[in-house]
């Protein structure tokens, strides 16, 4: 147990997004969406893909169809989303422990040792499958995924559910997020947040490139400033 770490840490729980925060899967979502879009001769750009991060599969499908200037029925959109998911799950087939993003598992281990409560808050309906493949699902008290919420990020539902399960106040939680929708969801939930990866993320309390060499001491400096 490290008591020194708890001294400056005014929080009780951490909520991690999955894709692009814990798991190296964001590029696999993009690859699968590109394949769907290419059927309509539409090139999905990297910038457009940023706007899909953190967003539910259904909402992402609607956005891409709109950008491509396509008008589909609900049923057609559902079928395309299903096709995308089949491609995505194929890409995920070979995921294993090594596909956790650098440093994240040791950071989570440190958090566990200090007694912090830990949750995953993800828009993905595949979150539990991915965490099992990474062999880290047991590190979290609760995984709130896309099957458990009605409203997609930036709505705060996913994070509020996680905090409710952990029995802690939203203001005692820190969210780790790689998407703008997720940062906004954390703010809407009244939670502090740390942006991961892209330095273009707006409104984060603090930002880190990755969890490499990250620890609770660094987090305490970021959120207490
Ligand atoms: C989010 C990803 O975590 O989950 C999005 O950032 C993805 O790219 C969304 O669309 C839904 O995921 P899934 O696995 O349910 O299609
Ligand atoms: Mg993400």
């Amino acid at each position: 147990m490290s008591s020194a770490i708890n001294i400056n840490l005014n929080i009780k729980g951490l909520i991690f997004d999955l894709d692009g925060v814990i798991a190296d899967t964001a590029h696999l979502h993009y690859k699968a969406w590109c394949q769907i879009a290419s059927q309509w001769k539409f090139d999905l750009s990297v910038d457009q893909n940023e706007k899909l991060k953190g967003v539910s599969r259904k909402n992402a499908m609607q956005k891409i169809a709109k950008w491509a200037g396509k008008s589909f029925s609900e049923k057609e959109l559902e079928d395309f989303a299903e096709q995308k998911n089949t491609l995505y799950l194929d890409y995920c087939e070979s995921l294993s422990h090594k596909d956790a993003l650098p440093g994240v598992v040791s950071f989570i281990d440190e958090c566990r040792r200090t007694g912090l409560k830990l949750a995953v808050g993800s828009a993905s309906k595949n979150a539990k499958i991915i965490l099992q493949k990474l062999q880290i699902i047991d590190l979290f008290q609760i995984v709130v995924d896309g099957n458990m919420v009605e409203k997609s990020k930036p709505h705060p539902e996913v994070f509020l559910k996680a905090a409710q399960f952990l029995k802690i106040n939203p203001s005692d939680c820190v969210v780790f997020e790689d998407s703008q929708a997720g940062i906004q969801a954390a703010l809407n939930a009244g939670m502090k947040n740390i942006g991961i990866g892209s330095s273009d993320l707006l409104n984060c309390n603090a930002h880190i490139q990755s969890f490499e060499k990250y620890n609770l001491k660094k987090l305490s400096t970021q959120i207490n400033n």
Side-chain angles (χ1 to χ4, degrees), residues 31-125:
K31 194 169 149 188
W33 282 131
C34 282
Q35 264 183 272
I36 298 297
S38 71
Q39 295 177 41
W40 317 324
K41 310 262 178 290
F42 177 68
D43 282 330
L44 183 66
S45 73
V46 171
D47 285 351
Q48 284 167 326
N49 185 55
E50 283 304 310
K51 298 194 175 78
L52 303 178
K53 288 185 178 175
V55 170
S56 72
R57 195 184 312 160
K58 184 178 176 188
N59 287 2
M61 188 69 269
Q62 289 166 338
K63 280 180 194 285
I64 299 168
K66 195 169 165 209
W67 292 331
K70 295 283 180 186
S71 165
F72 294 115
S73 68
E74 275 285 307
K75 172 76 177 72
E76 285 169 320
L77 286 175
E78 267 172 38
D79 289 347
F80 284 124
E82 185 60 38
Q83 279 178 36
K84 181 268 175 176
N85 197 45
T86 304
L87 291 166
Y88 175 67
L89 287 176
D90 272 358
Y91 297 143
C92 290
E93 197 51 50
S94 62
L95 289 181
S96 69
H97 193 65
K98 67 176 176 19
D99 296 295
L101 282 159
V104 70
V105 177
S106 34
F107 177 64
I108 289 169
D109 281 342
E110 185 194 6
C111 296
R112 277 165 61 84
R113 287 197 302 277
T114 64
L116 283 164
K117 294 184 175 179
L118 301 178
V120 170
S122 168
S124 173
K125 294 186 171 177

Side-chain angles (χ1 to χ4, degrees), residues 175 177-180 183-184 186-187 191-208 222:
V175 168
E177 257 295 347
D178 71 320
S179 71
Q180 195 59 62
I183 298 287
Q184 196 52 50
L187 292 172
M191 297 177 181
K192 299 178 190 82
N193 65 77
I194 308 289
I196 313 284
S198 166
S199 47
D200 293 341
L201 290 171
L202 304 173
N203 303 325
C204 325
N205 291 112
H207 172 265
I208 53 173
Q222 290 175 316

Side-chain angles (χ1 to χ4, degrees), residues 17-23 25-26 53-55 121-123 153 176-179 182:
D17 173 47
L18 174 69
D19 296 303
V21 170
I22 297 176
T25 44
K53 288 185 178 175
V55 170
S122 168
K153 297 171 188 177
F176 291 92
E177 257 295 347
D178 71 320
S179 71

